[in-house]
Amino acid sequence: MILYMLCLMLFCVGLYGVLRKRNLIKIIVGLGIMEYSMNLFFVLLGYRFHGRAPIDAQDQTILNMVDPLPQALVLTSIVIGLGVTALVISIAIRMYEKYGTFDITKIKRLKG
Amino acid sequence: MTLIVKTVTRLTVGLILIFGIYIILHGHLSPGGGFAGGVIVALAFVHLMLAFGEDVAVSKISRNLASHLESIGALMFLGVALLGFLGGSFFLNILIKGSPFKLFSAGTIPLSNIAIGIKVGVGLFAIFLALVILEKSKGAK
Amino acid sequence: MDTAIIIPFFVIIPLGAAFLISLLGRYVRRFSEIAICASSLFLLVLCLYARLLLHQATDKILVYKIGGWVPPFGICMVLDGLSAFMLVTVNVVAFFIALYSLSYMEKYTDKPKFFTLFSLMVCGMNGIIVTGDLFNLFVFLEIASISSYALVAFGTEAEELEASFKYAIMGSIASSFIFLGIAFLYGFTSTLNMADIARVLSSKPNAWIVPFVSVLFLTGFGLKAALVPFHAWLPDAHPSAPASISAMLSGILIKTLGVYALVRIFFNIIGATHNYLSILMFLGALSMLVGVILALSQWDLKRLLAYHSISQIGYVVLGIGLGTPLGIFAGLYHLFNHSIFKSLLFLNSGAVDYAAETRDLKETGGLAKVMPVTGWTSLIASMSIAGIPPFNGFFSKLLIIIACIQKGYLGYALCAVIGSILTLASFMKVQKFVFFGQLKPGFQNIKEVPLAMKLSMICLAAICAIGGLMLLPSLKFFLDDAVNVLVQGTRYAASVLGGTLN
């Protein structure tokens, strides 16, 4: 139970980073922390008592395994996180070229 | 980069590539599979780019070849999925499934792993190439 | 052969087209244009055929099991009344916008990349509509969202990059909330198939998890749909995109990713109770008023249209939040109508931008004399959105107001009427400043836009004009099937699982 609370606390740390930091790169780091804490939470949901890794080996009999479905889904989610991070970093680098700063309080041409 | 980095890179980059290919091919027997192996294959080329500069890495896989291989990887994956239609259902596993724990078993799963491995590996390398272009154009100004 | 076999093709065709365009677009001349038009036309014909097949199927549902695996072990794709309705909306608008982009994208570089991303976005939206599995919904949601982040930044001017960055960060936060909701729901029910979750939730005693998950989903999908506390990304993102992408985003993306997914989860899986419906109605009414009041002071044409999108989505959510069959009918009818006339309005603004190189209302004037097709279609679309008979917007807004009064919510009906009056005022301003009045001296020799753009605008205007005919009894089945799926609520589970176990 306390592990789940720690995961959600890590999610809140990431959310704080996105909401309050002024540098573009720190916002991206906060977004990354949020996504990885979600993945960790989802994998931890699959834990079964006294379970071991869900991999079949050749000449061993396995009694109980942890749930393999969250592990497959988290693999997909990590790839999605990679895609979003790559896109957002490219946009941030281009913005530095056009605006000359990484500070979001100065990047404010769209208003109203 | 310094001489130590260049020497170590020359020794290890081939091993990293082979390790990545091993993880892709054994995706149905041990943890890993298409995505993890693809990232390791991409890291081999990125390692080359970091140690020796962009020109050496581009001479191994050029920008055009990277773009084409990416699309071919995705089309191969779609082709494997459509192959299931021959057996009756979308994404059905129709090739022979041998006995478990052998390398040539589990039907179409190794083919899917290879397609994903190509796409992810080349795609990640292409992302790094695109970021380097932005650096170069910024430095040239 | 099983007739449900056409369902996976809604995902296969745009995905194949996207990567073929990426591979061959630079070598075969005009390959990207031919491929995108062919795939959009094929999808349009296929979705009309699927609607016809559904009419003939028993109990109005088609289920396709991927790989032959029986749910709940496998992923299934479901085509019922609501899915068929949304598929027709998405594919009709996507075809006309693809036709428009053939000429419009001449002003931007790198057409193959644009059409690759466009096709991936259509693949993602079709995937959300046909899937029957919750995590599959999340994956397709991300495919469509990431393509739209890249498309908003397509012109790579400074303002487009800023708008795309804001949109990407807020959209990723929304996706994280949705993922958290899916994780909690999986931990509670240990299955991911939508019909199976509905069955398990109705048999277990409800703990504190179900309201918690509902709030997470409302936040996540509400941000994708631009409901009012979460609307701040829309007025920056929609104007900065190229005009055909603004039309796609405002016309179909916020409806598929936001309203359709929200409605599917709230009505068919969790089960709509009185509390959730009143929250939906409140947010809908708030969106209506805030959107139209903020639109009154805008002088940038596309930004004004973006604020009106927020307002009209408020109408749709208010209609669906009523919960009665007439209310849901009115909400879904307004969803279809809004896709048609809002994308037509954005295409018109793109035509003005293409010909006159400006978007500012204070600089344009009297353009109807030199651009007659754009002027007439814009007049038809403005009359539709303001709710003037006999165009389609009038019927759907009238039905929403009647449904509110029938249920006894006179306050919400009054909000709807006020919103409608202010929308009329706002569009009279647009028509006066852009199309009527004196022709400004710099615009004497601009020409009408090319043929592809004219054709798509005329076709969309024609659908606007005859849209009221969908209320005729012979054509009403199109909407009635969609309404029945939502009204039957969690009995969706029995029809999906019963259809597969045979």
PDB file of all heavy atoms in Angstrom, chain A residues 18-44:
ATOM      1  N   VAL A  18       5.886  20.480 -13.883  1.00  0.00           N
ATOM      2  CA  VAL A  18       5.276  21.012 -15.102  1.00  0.00           C
ATOM      3  C   VAL A  18       4.591  22.341 -14.817  1.00  0.00           C
ATOM      4  O   VAL A  18       4.616  23.263 -15.620  1.00  0.00           O
ATOM      5  CB  VAL A  18       4.271  20.005 -15.673  1.00  0.00           C
ATOM      6  CG1 VAL A  18       3.529  20.593 -16.833  1.00  0.00           C
ATOM      7  CG2 VAL A  18       4.978  18.764 -16.129  1.00  0.00           C
ATOM      8  N   LEU A  19       3.971  22.458 -13.626  1.00  0.00           N
ATOM      9  CA  LEU A  19       3.154  23.635 -13.404  1.00  0.00           C
ATOM     10  C   LEU A  19       3.953  24.853 -12.970  1.00  0.00           C
ATOM     11  O   LEU A  19       3.585  25.971 -13.273  1.00  0.00           O
ATOM     12  CB  LEU A  19       2.100  23.348 -12.335  1.00  0.00           C
ATOM     13  CG  LEU A  19       1.053  22.335 -12.737  1.00  0.00           C
ATOM     14  CD1 LEU A  19       0.159  22.028 -11.571  1.00  0.00           C
ATOM     15  CD2 LEU A  19       0.233  22.861 -13.875  1.00  0.00           C
ATOM     16  N   ARG A  20       5.057  24.641 -12.193  1.00  0.00           N
ATOM     17  CA  ARG A  20       5.667  25.806 -11.581  1.00  0.00           C
ATOM     18  C   ARG A  20       7.022  26.204 -12.132  1.00  0.00           C
ATOM     19  O   ARG A  20       7.505  27.254 -11.815  1.00  0.00           O
ATOM     20  CB  ARG A  20       5.827  25.564 -10.072  1.00  0.00           C
ATOM     21  CG  ARG A  20       4.543  25.639  -9.324  1.00  0.00           C
ATOM     22  CD  ARG A  20       4.124  27.029  -9.072  1.00  0.00           C
ATOM     23  NE  ARG A  20       4.997  27.662  -8.084  1.00  0.00           N
ATOM     24  CZ  ARG A  20       4.977  28.954  -7.797  1.00  0.00           C
ATOM     25  NH1 ARG A  20       4.169  29.739  -8.437  1.00  0.00           N
ATOM     26  NH2 ARG A  20       5.777  29.440  -6.897  1.00  0.00           N
ATOM     27  N   LYS A  21       7.672  25.359 -12.911  1.00  0.00           N
ATOM     28  CA  LYS A  21       9.016  25.711 -13.344  1.00  0.00           C
ATOM     29  C   LYS A  21       8.956  26.627 -14.559  1.00  0.00           C
ATOM     30  O   LYS A  21       8.042  26.536 -15.375  1.00  0.00           O
ATOM     31  CB  LYS A  21       9.799  24.438 -13.697  1.00  0.00           C
ATOM     32  CG  LYS A  21      10.124  23.609 -12.501  1.00  0.00           C
ATOM     33  CD  LYS A  21      11.108  24.312 -11.637  1.00  0.00           C
ATOM     34  CE  LYS A  21      11.339  23.565 -10.354  1.00  0.00           C
ATOM     35  NZ  LYS A  21      12.180  24.318  -9.451  1.00  0.00           N
ATOM     36  N   ARG A  22       9.955  27.500 -14.695  1.00  0.00           N
ATOM     37  CA  ARG A  22       9.912  28.486 -15.776  1.00  0.00           C
ATOM     38  C   ARG A  22      10.749  28.106 -16.973  1.00  0.00           C
ATOM     39  O   ARG A  22      10.571  28.657 -18.039  1.00  0.00           O
ATOM     40  CB  ARG A  22      10.406  29.839 -15.253  1.00  0.00           C
ATOM     41  CG  ARG A  22       9.353  30.550 -14.457  1.00  0.00           C
ATOM     42  CD  ARG A  22       9.895  31.750 -13.778  1.00  0.00           C
ATOM     43  NE  ARG A  22      10.729  32.529 -14.653  1.00  0.00           N
ATOM     44  CZ  ARG A  22      11.152  33.738 -14.349  1.00  0.00           C
ATOM     45  NH1 ARG A  22      10.808  34.275 -13.216  1.00  0.00           N
ATOM     46  NH2 ARG A  22      11.930  34.392 -15.166  1.00  0.00           N
ATOM     47  N   ASN A  23      11.657  27.175 -16.814  1.00  0.00           N
ATOM     48  CA  ASN A  23      12.531  26.834 -17.916  1.00  0.00           C
ATOM     49  C   ASN A  23      11.866  25.731 -18.731  1.00  0.00           C
ATOM     50  O   ASN A  23      11.302  24.805 -18.179  1.00  0.00           O
ATOM     51  CB  ASN A  23      13.858  26.345 -17.337  1.00  0.00           C
ATOM     52  CG  ASN A  23      14.930  26.304 -18.381  1.00  0.00           C
ATOM     53  OD1 ASN A  23      14.661  26.322 -19.561  1.00  0.00           O
ATOM     54  ND2 ASN A  23      16.152  26.251 -17.924  1.00  0.00           N
ATOM     55  N   LEU A  24      11.945  25.819 -20.062  1.00  0.00           N
ATOM     56  CA  LEU A  24      11.268  24.835 -20.917  1.00  0.00           C
ATOM     57  C   LEU A  24      11.778  23.427 -20.660  1.00  0.00           C
ATOM     58  O   LEU A  24      11.004  22.478 -20.629  1.00  0.00           O
ATOM     59  CB  LEU A  24      11.531  25.154 -22.384  1.00  0.00           C
ATOM     60  CG  LEU A  24      10.703  26.207 -23.078  1.00  0.00           C
ATOM     61  CD1 LEU A  24      11.116  26.248 -24.518  1.00  0.00           C
ATOM     62  CD2 LEU A  24       9.255  25.893 -22.961  1.00  0.00           C
ATOM     63  N   ILE A  25      13.102  23.284 -20.474  1.00  0.00           N
ATOM     64  CA  ILE A  25      13.664  21.950 -20.321  1.00  0.00           C
ATOM     65  C   ILE A  25      13.218  21.347 -19.000  1.00  0.00           C
ATOM     66  O   ILE A  25      12.962  20.147 -18.897  1.00  0.00           O
ATOM     67  CB  ILE A  25      15.200  22.004 -20.422  1.00  0.00           C
ATOM     68  CG1 ILE A  25      15.597  22.662 -21.728  1.00  0.00           C
ATOM     69  CG2 ILE A  25      15.790  20.638 -20.356  1.00  0.00           C
ATOM     70  CD1 ILE A  25      15.185  21.903 -22.936  1.00  0.00           C
ATOM     71  N   LYS A  26      13.062  22.189 -17.960  1.00  0.00           N
ATOM     72  CA  LYS A  26      12.606  21.633 -16.687  1.00  0.00           C
ATOM     73  C   LYS A  26      11.162  21.162 -16.786  1.00  0.00           C
ATOM     74  O   LYS A  26      10.773  20.182 -16.145  1.00  0.00           O
ATOM     75  CB  LYS A  26      12.755  22.669 -15.584  1.00  0.00           C
ATOM     76  CG  LYS A  26      14.181  22.980 -15.304  1.00  0.00           C
ATOM     77  CD  LYS A  26      14.348  23.836 -14.076  1.00  0.00           C
ATOM     78  CE  LYS A  26      15.808  24.176 -13.916  1.00  0.00           C
ATOM     79  NZ  LYS A  26      16.043  25.165 -12.881  1.00  0.00           N
ATOM     80  N   ILE A  27      10.361  21.833 -17.607  1.00  0.00           N
ATOM     81  CA  ILE A  27       8.992  21.364 -17.819  1.00  0.00           C
ATOM     82  C   ILE A  27       9.006  19.996 -18.481  1.00  0.00           C
ATOM     83  O   ILE A  27       8.239  19.098 -18.107  1.00  0.00           O
ATOM     84  CB  ILE A  27       8.204  22.373 -18.676  1.00  0.00           C
ATOM     85  CG1 ILE A  27       8.025  23.673 -17.929  1.00  0.00           C
ATOM     86  CG2 ILE A  27       6.868  21.834 -19.079  1.00  0.00           C
ATOM     87  CD1 ILE A  27       7.273  24.701 -18.701  1.00  0.00           C
ATOM     88  N   ILE A  28       9.907  19.803 -19.452  1.00  0.00           N
ATOM     89  CA  ILE A  28       9.971  18.516 -20.138  1.00  0.00           C
ATOM     90  C   ILE A  28      10.432  17.428 -19.175  1.00  0.00           C
ATOM     91  O   ILE A  28       9.920  16.302 -19.192  1.00  0.00           O
ATOM     92  CB  ILE A  28      10.901  18.605 -21.359  1.00  0.00           C
ATOM     93  CG1 ILE A  28      10.352  19.638 -22.335  1.00  0.00           C
ATOM     94  CG2 ILE A  28      11.022  17.281 -22.040  1.00  0.00           C
ATOM     95  CD1 ILE A  28      11.237  19.881 -23.502  1.00  0.00           C
ATOM     96  N   VAL A  29      11.386  17.764 -18.279  1.00  0.00           N
ATOM     97  CA  VAL A  29      11.836  16.770 -17.301  1.00  0.00           C
ATOM     98  C   VAL A  29      10.687  16.396 -16.361  1.00  0.00           C
ATOM     99  O   VAL A  29      10.489  15.226 -16.032  1.00  0.00           O
ATOM    100  CB  VAL A  29      13.048  17.320 -16.510  1.00  0.00           C
ATOM    101  CG1 VAL A  29      13.364  16.436 -15.345  1.00  0.00           C
ATOM    102  CG2 VAL A  29      14.243  17.424 -17.403  1.00  0.00           C
ATOM    103  N   GLY A  30       9.895  17.405 -15.950  1.00  0.00           N
ATOM    104  CA  GLY A  30       8.750  17.119 -15.090  1.00  0.00           C
ATOM    105  C   GLY A  30       7.749  16.207 -15.769  1.00  0.00           C
ATOM    106  O   GLY A  30       7.204  15.281 -15.169  1.00  0.00           O
ATOM    107  N   LEU A  31       7.511  16.447 -17.074  1.00  0.00           N
ATOM    108  CA  LEU A  31       6.594  15.589 -17.827  1.00  0.00           C
ATOM    109  C   LEU A  31       7.123  14.162 -17.867  1.00  0.00           C
ATOM    110  O   LEU A  31       6.374  13.189 -17.710  1.00  0.00           O
ATOM    111  CB  LEU A  31       6.457  16.137 -19.241  1.00  0.00           C
ATOM    112  CG  LEU A  31       5.381  15.519 -20.088  1.00  0.00           C
ATOM    113  CD1 LEU A  31       4.045  15.930 -19.576  1.00  0.00           C
ATOM    114  CD2 LEU A  31       5.536  15.950 -21.514  1.00  0.00           C
ATOM    115  N   GLY A  32       8.451  14.020 -18.042  1.00  0.00           N
ATOM    116  CA  GLY A  32       9.037  12.681 -18.055  1.00  0.00           C
ATOM    117  C   GLY A  32       8.864  11.964 -16.725  1.00  0.00           C
ATOM    118  O   GLY A  32       8.531  10.776 -16.682  1.00  0.00           O
ATOM    119  N   ILE A  33       9.050  12.705 -15.616  1.00  0.00           N
ATOM    120  CA  ILE A  33       8.883  12.082 -14.304  1.00  0.00           C
ATOM    121  C   ILE A  33       7.440  11.605 -14.127  1.00  0.00           C
ATOM    122  O   ILE A  33       7.186  10.502 -13.626  1.00  0.00           O
ATOM    123  CB  ILE A  33       9.270  13.062 -13.181  1.00  0.00           C
ATOM    124  CG1 ILE A  33      10.745  13.377 -13.238  1.00  0.00           C
ATOM    125  CG2 ILE A  33       8.919  12.499 -11.833  1.00  0.00           C
ATOM    126  CD1 ILE A  33      11.179  14.351 -12.187  1.00  0.00           C
ATOM    127  N   MET A  34       6.477  12.427 -14.603  1.00  0.00           N
ATOM    128  CA  MET A  34       5.072  12.019 -14.488  1.00  0.00           C
ATOM    129  C   MET A  34       4.823  10.722 -15.228  1.00  0.00           C
ATOM    130  O   MET A  34       4.192   9.801 -14.723  1.00  0.00           O
ATOM    131  CB  MET A  34       4.167  13.097 -15.107  1.00  0.00           C
ATOM    132  CG  MET A  34       3.607  14.071 -14.149  1.00  0.00           C
ATOM    133  SD  MET A  34       2.790  15.400 -14.989  1.00  0.00           S
ATOM    134  CE  MET A  34       1.340  14.592 -15.557  1.00  0.00           C
ATOM    135  N   GLU A  35       5.344  10.645 -16.478  1.00  0.00           N
ATOM    136  CA  GLU A  35       5.049   9.454 -17.272  1.00  0.00           C
ATOM    137  C   GLU A  35       5.694   8.218 -16.674  1.00  0.00           C
ATOM    138  O   GLU A  35       5.070   7.151 -16.625  1.00  0.00           O
ATOM    139  CB  GLU A  35       5.518   9.666 -18.698  1.00  0.00           C
ATOM    140  CG  GLU A  35       4.712  10.740 -19.391  1.00  0.00           C
ATOM    141  CD  GLU A  35       5.005  10.817 -20.853  1.00  0.00           C
ATOM    142  OE1 GLU A  35       5.997  10.214 -21.287  1.00  0.00           O
ATOM    143  OE2 GLU A  35       4.253  11.495 -21.547  1.00  0.00           O
ATOM    144  N   TYR A  36       6.938   8.341 -16.170  1.00  0.00           N
ATOM    145  CA  TYR A  36       7.583   7.141 -15.640  1.00  0.00           C
ATOM    146  C   TYR A  36       6.959   6.697 -14.326  1.00  0.00           C
ATOM    147  O   TYR A  36       6.918   5.491 -14.029  1.00  0.00           O
ATOM    148  CB  TYR A  36       9.083   7.365 -15.477  1.00  0.00           C
ATOM    149  CG  TYR A  36       9.775   7.616 -16.792  1.00  0.00           C
ATOM    150  CD1 TYR A  36      10.864   8.448 -16.865  1.00  0.00           C
ATOM    151  CD2 TYR A  36       9.322   7.034 -17.957  1.00  0.00           C
ATOM    152  CE1 TYR A  36      11.483   8.694 -18.064  1.00  0.00           C
ATOM    153  CE2 TYR A  36       9.924   7.275 -19.150  1.00  0.00           C
ATOM    154  CZ  TYR A  36      11.006   8.101 -19.212  1.00  0.00           C
ATOM    155  OH  TYR A  36      11.622   8.348 -20.402  1.00  0.00           O
ATOM    156  N   SER A  37       6.442   7.655 -13.539  1.00  0.00           N
ATOM    157  CA  SER A  37       5.796   7.239 -12.294  1.00  0.00           C
ATOM    158  C   SER A  37       4.510   6.484 -12.586  1.00  0.00           C
ATOM    159  O   SER A  37       4.175   5.518 -11.895  1.00  0.00           O
ATOM    160  CB  SER A  37       5.509   8.440 -11.407  1.00  0.00           C
ATOM    161  OG  SER A  37       4.386   9.123 -11.876  1.00  0.00           O
ATOM    162  N   MET A  38       3.793   6.877 -13.669  1.00  0.00           N
ATOM    163  CA  MET A  38       2.619   6.142 -14.071  1.00  0.00           C
ATOM    164  C   MET A  38       2.957   4.733 -14.458  1.00  0.00           C
ATOM    165  O   MET A  38       2.251   3.786 -14.109  1.00  0.00           O
ATOM    166  CB  MET A  38       2.013   6.782 -15.294  1.00  0.00           C
ATOM    167  CG  MET A  38       1.586   8.146 -15.175  1.00  0.00           C
ATOM    168  SD  MET A  38       0.324   8.225 -14.085  1.00  0.00           S
ATOM    169  CE  MET A  38      -0.292   6.677 -14.456  1.00  0.00           C
ATOM    170  N   ASN A  39       4.056   4.571 -15.228  1.00  0.00           N
ATOM    171  CA  ASN A  39       4.429   3.225 -15.660  1.00  0.00           C
ATOM    172  C   ASN A  39       4.786   2.364 -14.459  1.00  0.00           C
ATOM    173  O   ASN A  39       4.409   1.187 -14.379  1.00  0.00           O
ATOM    174  CB  ASN A  39       5.629   3.291 -16.609  1.00  0.00           C
ATOM    175  CG  ASN A  39       5.295   4.031 -17.878  1.00  0.00           C
ATOM    176  OD1 ASN A  39       4.150   4.101 -18.263  1.00  0.00           O
ATOM    177  ND2 ASN A  39       6.299   4.587 -18.518  1.00  0.00           N
ATOM    178  N   LEU A  40       5.519   2.952 -13.500  1.00  0.00           N
ATOM    179  CA  LEU A  40       5.900   2.188 -12.315  1.00  0.00           C
ATOM    180  C   LEU A  40       4.671   1.737 -11.541  1.00  0.00           C
ATOM    181  O   LEU A  40       4.569   0.580 -11.113  1.00  0.00           O
ATOM    182  CB  LEU A  40       6.789   3.069 -11.431  1.00  0.00           C
ATOM    183  CG  LEU A  40       7.397   2.391 -10.229  1.00  0.00           C
ATOM    184  CD1 LEU A  40       8.280   1.282 -10.675  1.00  0.00           C
ATOM    185  CD2 LEU A  40       8.176   3.398  -9.418  1.00  0.00           C
ATOM    186  N   PHE A  41       3.700   2.641 -11.405  1.00  0.00           N
ATOM    187  CA  PHE A  41       2.479   2.304 -10.682  1.00  0.00           C
ATOM    188  C   PHE A  41       1.750   1.150 -11.347  1.00  0.00           C
ATOM    189  O   PHE A  41       1.272   0.220 -10.692  1.00  0.00           O
ATOM    190  CB  PHE A  41       1.591   3.547 -10.627  1.00  0.00           C
ATOM    191  CG  PHE A  41       0.268   3.331  -9.964  1.00  0.00           C
ATOM    192  CD1 PHE A  41       0.197   3.111  -8.612  1.00  0.00           C
ATOM    193  CD2 PHE A  41      -0.898   3.351 -10.692  1.00  0.00           C
ATOM    194  CE1 PHE A  41      -1.014   2.918  -7.994  1.00  0.00           C
ATOM    195  CE2 PHE A  41      -2.120   3.159 -10.082  1.00  0.00           C
ATOM    196  CZ  PHE A  41      -2.165   2.941  -8.737  1.00  0.00           C
ATOM    197  N   PHE A  42       1.699   1.184 -12.671  1.00  0.00           N
ATOM    198  CA  PHE A  42       0.965   0.151 -13.377  1.00  0.00           C
ATOM    199  C   PHE A  42       1.657  -1.204 -13.241  1.00  0.00           C
ATOM    200  O   PHE A  42       1.014  -2.239 -13.120  1.00  0.00           O
ATOM    201  CB  PHE A  42       0.827   0.544 -14.852  1.00  0.00           C
ATOM    202  CG  PHE A  42      -0.341  -0.085 -15.568  1.00  0.00           C
ATOM    203  CD1 PHE A  42      -1.274  -0.862 -14.923  1.00  0.00           C
ATOM    204  CD2 PHE A  42      -0.508   0.113 -16.925  1.00  0.00           C
ATOM    205  CE1 PHE A  42      -2.327  -1.425 -15.586  1.00  0.00           C
ATOM    206  CE2 PHE A  42      -1.569  -0.454 -17.600  1.00  0.00           C
ATOM    207  CZ  PHE A  42      -2.472  -1.221 -16.939  1.00  0.00           C
ATOM    208  N   VAL A  43       3.010  -1.213 -13.261  1.00  0.00           N
ATOM    209  CA  VAL A  43       3.688  -2.497 -13.121  1.00  0.00           C
ATOM    210  C   VAL A  43       3.490  -3.042 -11.713  1.00  0.00           C
ATOM    211  O   VAL A  43       3.278  -4.241 -11.525  1.00  0.00           O
ATOM    212  CB  VAL A  43       5.192  -2.346 -13.437  1.00  0.00           C
ATOM    213  CG1 VAL A  43       5.926  -3.604 -13.122  1.00  0.00           C
ATOM    214  CG2 VAL A  43       5.375  -2.001 -14.875  1.00  0.00           C
ATOM    215  N   LEU A  44       3.534  -2.151 -10.709  1.00  0.00           N
ATOM    216  CA  LEU A  44       3.381  -2.623  -9.341  1.00  0.00           C
ATOM    217  C   LEU A  44       2.009  -3.207  -9.074  1.00  0.00           C
ATOM    218  O   LEU A  44       1.839  -4.007  -8.162  1.00  0.00           O
ATOM    219  CB  LEU A  44       3.612  -1.478  -8.363  1.00  0.00           C
ATOM    220  CG  LEU A  44       5.057  -1.095  -8.152  1.00  0.00           C
ATOM    221  CD1 LEU A  44       5.133   0.071  -7.219  1.00  0.00           C
ATOM    222  CD2 LEU A  44       5.801  -2.256  -7.573  1.00  0.00           C
TER     223      LEU A  44
END
